[in-house]
Amino acid sequence: MNDRYEFRQIEAKWQRAWEEEGIYHVDPHETKPKYYALEMFPYPSGELHVGHTRNYAIGDAIARFRRMNGFSVLHPMGWDAFGLPAENAAIERGIQPAEWTMGNIRRMRSQFKRLGLSYDWRREVATCHPGYYKWTQWLFLQLFKHGLAYRKKAQVNWCPRCQTVLANEQVVDGLCERCDTEVTKRELEQWFFKITDYADRLLSNLDKLEGWPEKVKIMQKNWIGRSEGVEIVFKLKDTGDDIPVFTTRHDTVFGVTYLVLAPEHPLVEKIISGSSREQEIRKFIHDVSRVSEIDRTSDLTEKIGIPTGAYAINPMSGQEVPVWIANYVLLHYGTGAVMGVPAHDGRDLEFAKKYGLPIKVVIAPPGEACCQDDIDKAYEDPGIMVNSPGFDGVPSEEGKDRIAEFMERNGIGRRTVNYKLRDWLISRQRYWGAPIPIVYCPSCGIVPVPEEDLPVMLPLDVEFRPSGESPLAYIPEFVNTTCPKCGASARRETDTMDTFMCSSWYFIRYTCPRSDDEPWDPDIANHWLPVDQYTGGIEHAILHLMYSRFFTMFLSDVGLIETDEPFSRLLTQGMVLKDGAKMSKSKGNIVSLEEMLDTYGADTTRLFILFASPPERDLEWSEQGVEGASRFLNRLWRLVYEFKDDLVSGHGVGHEFSGLTSEDEEMRRKTHTTLKKVTEDLERYSFNTAVARIMELVNAMYQFRDAAKARPEAMGVMREAVQLVLLMLAPFTPHIAEELWRVIGYEESIHEEAWPAVDESATVETDIEIVIQVNGKIRDRMNVAKGEDPDELKAKALASDRVRELVEGKDIRKVIVVPDKLVNIVVS
RNA sequence: GCCGGAGUGGCGGAACAGGCAGACGCAAGGGACUUAAAAUCCCUUGGGCCUUUGGCCCGUGCGGGUUCGAUUCCCGCCUCCGGCACCA
């Protein structure tokens, strides 16, 4: 053993040894109970920085702890390898996306390995590999087969100069990220998945996910946005056309003073064509859609509208109300038409005031007689219905039921549910993604590629035009094909799939990563699934996690897997900050992982990350903090070095622990209470406090050095403490734990050891200190036997000199005794 | 605007079930070792006050409340961070 902690040599040595021995390889046939620990796989952007590292340090600690707890742990890693940055790199540097991606994967894989993470690398997957995307395409076909994949026109961001489609994140302030041209919208035929079919289940299943943070569940719930209401059918006065509107406030139907259609509403055309104001209205619609195109993200909340000149009839009151068109009504939500009730909706009120539309109060606040129609603030709370013939005096909540019933009985409307969740647009007009396995045949139409013809290979050697267009459409060998049905010449779909699709099932593929004739073996997949612990960034709280849940539900519905929820427990770790800002390339505040590994090593880096902050909270990077972690490991090293001969020569000697002095017993108590607390801390992922406790124990061991040297019994206590410290550190700092474990005489890897058991008898305390309070303030302390009788505690406390002094001449009103904790004497 | 989360020393953070606020680490200061420095080891370190060994007062964003006792529970504010944002 070297007297100095040479982390470089130690880390390299054990990484090699672990890999050679395959100690992290796992098979489904082991008899131990299974545990699936997963961290979100990264996009291979080029290099890992310490920000990424947090995710993996946390996940690895969990995996290693479970392994030591006797589980057979599946812990895999791979690459979310399709995506736009590869195309940008191709355009900027003239390198093929595939080549760029593969180079990044190689570099990042070696960085992963230098971190000493306990992955079963045999299971590595990359979503851009044909062996993987073959099954992504296959899954598309399954969704297609079950009617969950369909085509419809949808708007995309279009850069007229680049002649290409832009993702939302490529549009910056309404301008093309690359050329600063104003982005417009285009209607294109796109592929969608009917995730809305699962809206209700995605919502109701959230209750089952007890191991998920409440925060994430609430975010998903809001995203799904379920709302119950009524679809009420108004009729157009002149033509008799139906105008259904969706509302959750049907109790206010008698307060409707106008109707508003979305500018894109199908009836608009019919209403305005041939009318005297047609030109004016068309201009309005055009202006509105232009504005929303350019500046969709800004909170330009000014509501503007225009009357169509048409009138609609309120089916409840028979009243005629004007029909307007306004920018704030969205076509894709509800029916694309809303009823305006200015008295009871803030937004409607704003609109009505602006355009001089009438206001009619139909809900009175409880306890108030009635009210003026001339109001400043809409009354949106429940109340008593007024001015509502047949329903006056009814509480509005009850009125909702009665109105809905009345409408259903009379065919005026029906109860219905709406969601904010929209279908998942998966088409990307891009090259570097999994091709959608569809062929367009002039006679057969849309034809799915037969499963046996998969994968539809992505050409690897492509030419990027400076404009940034997807090259796929310009490769005749790719586009031109024959129809699988009739054999006629046909055209291939040139869109690729959203990369969220690739990441919606990778956790299943890890169970059978090389399966070639099926996406996975159902028995093996069902053995491992669901993922017991998923760890990743909060930024995926909605999309990735919702899509994965949708896929899993679908796959369980069609019998391909058993579980209908993919992730039992979810841990969302906080961001890593540098100087108060999220680490990112653009901010230039990245701390290089390579540099950390060179200067401090993997164990120190990992230890700092786990120690500096609780996992869910943000972590401020501090070089001085890293120094502290490094100092601690060096301190541990020196301690073991100092005792190495005694520890080795005593190796294998049983721990009888007889003839211990009280100092020895104190040391053992510290050792075992630490073990107990660290175990509890790890169970609840409180890594920072676990590390703090191990540090405390090592501090105590330093105080115990002289004793250990003086007596063999004490050396036995020291030996036990060293063993337990190493075992406790194994999930955090695997290399130094392994090295020192061997130093003290063990021949098998520490990472194949079981988590140690607490010797409860060693933790028993006999004497404890009790706090004596007078009127809630600490005035004295006393040492008593643990479990002392409350009456006895009271007597002793009252006998204390300090207490007698303070209580002198006052009335003792009450004495509160909390056994083993405190005595509080209340005096007046 | 709505929905979450968080405010504790100079800093990161701890206190899991209402019971010793500030564990552990960083930074700072002092001492030991050294020719010296680094490293290491030991000690001090929330603020204020008092004549001492020692003791007192204040202190967990702000203002109230419940309680023998509140960082912890309740009510009302303030600030910061995150999510959603015309969703009828």
Side-chain angles (χ1 to χ4, degrees):
Chain A
M1 182 193 192
N2 201 316
D3 64 335
R4 289 193 40 214
Y5 167 42
E6 301 284 1
F7 64 84
R8 285 183 198 85
Q9 176 244 322
I10 291 166
E11 292 184 352
K13 175 173 86 182
W14 290 115
Q15 283 160 17
R16 212 176 313 118
W18 296 332
E19 184 149 6
E20 275 164 19
E21 289 165 36
I23 67 167
Y24 305 124
H25 291 178
V26 70
D27 291 300
H29 313 295
E30 295 176 42
T31 51
K32 292 185 271 185
K34 75 94 182 181
Y35 192 89
Y36 189 172
L38 184 66
E39 295 106 63
M40 293 179 184
F41 64 168
Y43 177 76
S45 56
E47 213 163 309
L48 286 179
H49 59 71
V50 296
H52 301 116
T53 307
R54 190 173 192 198
N55 190 205
Y56 312 115
I58 291 169
D60 199 46
I62 293 169
R64 287 179 183 277
F65 180 59
R66 290 296 167 218
R67 213 175 272 125
M68 292 177 85
N69 276 295
F71 289 90
S72 161
V73 177
L74 175 59
H75 190 215
M77 186 39 69
W79 312 98
D80 189 11
F82 274 135
L84 203 49
E87 289 186 48
N88 288 337
I91 292 161
E92 282 159 23
R93 314 177 201 185
I95 180 174
Q96 287 296 323
E99 202 186 313
W100 183 81
T101 303
M102 290 324 230
N104 289 347
I105 288 178
R106 269 192 301 278
R107 186 151 64 252
M108 288 171 74
R109 188 195 292 121
S110 86
Q111 291 172 339
F112 265 109
K113 292 194 172 177
R114 284 189 67 192
L115 275 167
L117 302 162
S118 63
Y119 297 128
D120 182 350
W121 280 106
R122 299 174 308 170
R123 296 172 179 272
E124 180 180 0
V125 302
T127 57
C128 65
H129 191 284
Y132 185 93
Y133 71 70
K134 169 182 177 180
W135 298 110
T136 307
Q137 293 172 339
W138 184 84
L139 286 164
F140 174 94
L141 293 178
Q142 305 315 303
L143 284 151
F144 182 80
K145 206 161 43 177
H146 288 87
L148 290 166
Y150 69 97
R151 253 161 86 80
K152 77 170 180 198
K153 273 206 183 268
Q155 281 199 334
V156 292
N157 301 305
W158 179 260
C159 173
R161 174 140 165 217
C162 298
Q163 288 284 299
T164 189
V165 171
L166 301 176
N168 283 336
E169 52 273 24
Q170 292 175 292
V171 183
V172 181
D173 295 328
L175 304 178
C176 171
E177 158 193 73
R178 203 174 296 138
C179 68
D180 282 347
T181 305
E182 199 173 277
V183 174
T184 60
K185 295 270 167 171
R186 262 212 169 179
E187 291 257 306
L188 286 181
E189 283 281 325
Q190 313 253 16
W191 283 97
F192 286 84
F193 287 157
K194 257 192 192 169
I195 191 172
T196 49
D197 275 10
Y198 284 78
D200 245 334
R201 236 167 111 198
L202 287 166
L203 180 68
S204 60
N205 257 20
L206 287 172
D207 294 337
K208 292 205 310 193
L209 299 176
E210 281 166 19
W212 280 42
E214 212 52 40
K215 177 193 170 110
V216 174
K217 289 198 273 188
I218 288 168
M219 281 164 76
Q220 293 214 349
K221 193 177 164 189
N222 292 340
W223 188 261
I224 294 166
R226 182 192 150 96
S227 66
E228 286 180 23
V230 172
E231 210 172 284
I232 306 175
V233 182
F234 284 66
K235 280 209 190 300
L236 209 53
K237 186 183 160 200
D238 293 335
T239 64
D241 280 304
D242 284 351
I243 307 178
V245 302
F246 174 73
T247 180
T248 55
R249 291 302 305 275
H250 36 289
D251 53 322
T252 65
V253 66
F254 288 95
V256 175
T257 58
Y258 62 99
L259 231 56
V260 191
L261 305 181
E264 309 86 354
H265 194 283
L267 265 180
V268 166
E269 187 58 33
K270 185 166 182 183
I271 292 173
I272 65 170
S273 66
S275 93
S276 59
R277 294 173 47 253
E278 182 173 349
Q279 288 316 309
E280 189 191 341
I281 295 171
R282 280 198 198 284
K283 183 174 183 311
F284 172 84
I285 294 171
H286 179 256
D287 289 349
V288 162
S289 59
R290 240 181 71 82
V291 167
S292 70
E293 276 161 30
I294 295 165
D295 221 346
R296 208 184 191 91
T297 47
S298 94
D299 55 357
L300 179 99
T301 46
E302 204 206 347
K303 290 160 195 40
I304 50 171
I306 189 166
T308 60
Y311 285 80
I313 296 159
N314 183 331
M316 289 297 280
S317 65
Q319 199 183 4
E320 287 177 18
V321 292
V323 178
W324 284 59
I325 295 169
N327 61 344
Y328 72 91
V329 178
L330 309 172
L331 181 68
H332 61 73
Y333 185 78
T335 60
V338 300
M339 59 187 212
V341 186
H344 305 292
D345 181 285
R347 193 187 34 200
D348 291 349
L349 183 66
E350 192 190 323
F351 191 78
K353 291 219 163 189
K354 179 167 179 176
Y355 292 106
L357 289 158
I359 297 162
K360 187 182 171 198
V361 170
V362 292
I363 307 288
E368 284 175 40
C370 194
C371 19
Q372 304 248 314
D373 285 343
D374 173 25
I375 55 170
D376 297 326
K377 200 172 174 298
Y379 181 74
E380 299 183 339
D381 294 328
I384 306 298
M385 295 177 70
V386 295
N387 295 324
S388 304
F391 298 88
D392 283 345
V394 178
S396 59
E397 287 303 306
E398 185 193 329
K400 277 186 181 177
D401 284 338
R402 289 177 48 179
I403 296 240
E405 226 160 88
F406 180 88
M407 287 179 170
E408 285 182 340
R409 226 181 11 249
N410 293 282
I412 300 170
R414 57 183 181 89
R415 275 178 258 236
T416 173
V417 175
N418 260 295
Y419 300 91
K420 284 197 235 177
L421 182 71
R422 293 207 254 161
D423 277 343
W424 176 12
L425 194 169
I426 62 138
S427 299
R428 294 291 178 273
Q429 292 73 34
R430 310 255 44 125
Y431 158 69
W432 190 234
I436 295 173
I438 289 288
V439 168
Y440 300 102
C441 169
S443 44
C444 309
I446 297 170
V447 183
V449 173
E451 291 179 13
E452 58 273 19
D453 292 350
L454 296 181
V456 175
M457 293 286 283
L458 190 66
L460 288 184
D461 193 15
V462 294
E463 188 198 334
F464 283 88
R465 306 187 175 189
S467 62
E469 293 163 87
S470 165
L472 227 38
Y474 303 95
I475 301 175
E477 308 87 82
F478 181 82
V479 177
N480 300 328
T481 184
T482 52
C483 172
K485 252 190 200 162
C486 71
S489 63
R491 189 175 57 83
R492 233 180 240 299
E493 171 66 84
T494 55
D495 284 357
T496 53
M497 290 184 241
D498 180 8
T499 57
F500 275 121
M501 169 125 191
C502 307
S503 57
S504 290
W505 72 284
Y506 78 111
F507 46 91
I508 314 178
R509 184 65 180 177
Y510 277 140
T511 66
C512 305
R514 303 290 173 263
S515 174
D516 198 33
D517 50 359
E518 53 183 353
W520 52 78
D521 177 315
D523 290 337
I524 297 175
N526 287 328
H527 169 78
W528 290 112
L529 292 171
V531 173
D532 294 279
Q533 178 64 55
Y534 197 29
T535 309
I538 187 73
E539 65 273 21
H540 292 114
I542 298 175
L543 296 183
H544 164 60
L545 290 170
M546 184 109 75
Y547 294 149
S548 297
R549 294 181 60 221
F550 162 57
F551 258 54
T552 304
M553 280 177 194
F554 164 71
L555 292 170
S556 86
D557 282 354
V558 298
L560 285 163
I561 51 170
E562 277 166 15
T563 181
D564 71 340
E565 281 291 344
F567 315 121
S568 303
R569 294 189 56 162
L570 175 70
L571 174 65
T572 50
Q573 93 272 350
M575 292 185 294
V576 178
L577 310 177
K578 183 78 207 303
D579 309 320
K582 182 182 173 150
M583 255 185 221
S584 73
K585 256 188 200 162
S586 54
K587 290 201 191 75
N589 60 351
I590 292 210
V591 175
S592 151
L593 177 61
E594 297 257 349
E595 270 173 43
M596 276 297 135
L597 295 178
D598 291 342
T599 318
Y600 296 101
D603 283 343
T604 291
T605 305
R606 295 173 55 159
L607 187 70
F608 167 71
I609 288 171
L610 294 172
F611 175 61
S613 181
E616 321 77 38
R617 247 200 268 184
D618 288 350
L619 182 159
E620 175 69 36
W621 192 263
S622 149
E623 183 97 15
Q624 284 170 334
V626 179
E627 292 279 359
S630 170
R631 258 200 295 270
F632 169 71
L633 292 182
N634 276 287
R635 195 166 145 83
L636 173 69
W637 183 271
R638 283 191 303 273
L639 183 71
V640 174
Y641 183 78
E642 185 174 348
F643 287 97
K644 65 177 193 307
D645 297 332
D646 295 300
L647 293 170
V648 173
S649 63
H651 176 71
V653 174
H655 293 305
E656 285 85 34
F657 301 116
S658 55
L660 299 189
T661 65
S662 63
E663 190 189 8
D664 299 346
E665 277 173 356
E666 188 57 42
M667 185 68 233
R668 278 207 84 210
R669 185 174 309 125
K670 183 73 187 173
T671 305
H672 282 273
T673 52
T674 300
L675 173 59
K676 191 172 184 171
K677 286 175 178 164
V678 168
T679 307
E680 287 163 7
D681 283 349
L682 284 180
E683 290 290 353
R684 61 190 176 102
Y685 303 150
S686 181
F687 306 112
N688 54 330
T689 55
V691 172
R693 277 164 180 149
I694 298 170
M695 285 173 169
E696 270 186 81
L697 175 56
V698 170
N699 290 345
M701 289 160 75
Y702 263 79
Q703 303 297 326
F704 193 67
R705 281 177 303 165
D706 289 344
K709 283 175 198 152
R711 287 169 292 107
E713 294 83 7
M715 182 57 76
V717 171
M718 178 63 100
R719 183 182 301 122
E720 182 194 32
V722 170
Q723 286 167 359
L724 293 182
V725 163
L726 296 180
L727 288 165
M728 284 187 272
L729 277 173
F732 307 133
T733 56
H735 310 87
I736 191 173
E738 181 79 296
E739 177 69 18
L740 294 177
W741 188 247
R742 308 298 178 114
V743 163
I744 64 172
Y746 290 95
E747 298 189 350
E748 300 297 321
S749 172
I750 193 170
H751 303 298
E752 295 183 313
E753 287 291 323
W755 189 254
V758 176
D759 181 351
E760 294 289 349
S761 70
T763 64
V764 174
E765 270 181 293
T766 47
D767 280 347
I768 51 171
E769 193 181 64
I770 288 232
V771 166
I772 305 175
Q773 297 180 332
V774 176
N775 284 348
K777 294 194 167 160
I778 296 161
R779 289 294 127 110
D780 203 1
R781 294 154 194 277
M782 61 183 176
N783 284 306
V784 299
K786 192 173 162 124
E788 181 77 276
D789 180 72
D791 289 339
E792 190 64 24
L793 287 176
K794 179 176 169 181
K796 280 186 177 164
L798 288 169
S800 134
D801 291 345
R802 278 285 292 150
V803 170
R804 291 231 297 264
E805 210 175 289
L806 287 159
V807 167
E808 177 85 63
K810 291 177 181 153
D811 273 357
I812 296 179
R813 311 259 299 245
K814 206 193 230 179
V815 177
I816 286 136
V817 180
V818 183
D820 293 340
K821 283 243 167 76
L822 59 78
V823 178
N824 186 11
I825 298 153
V826 186
V827 299
S828 60

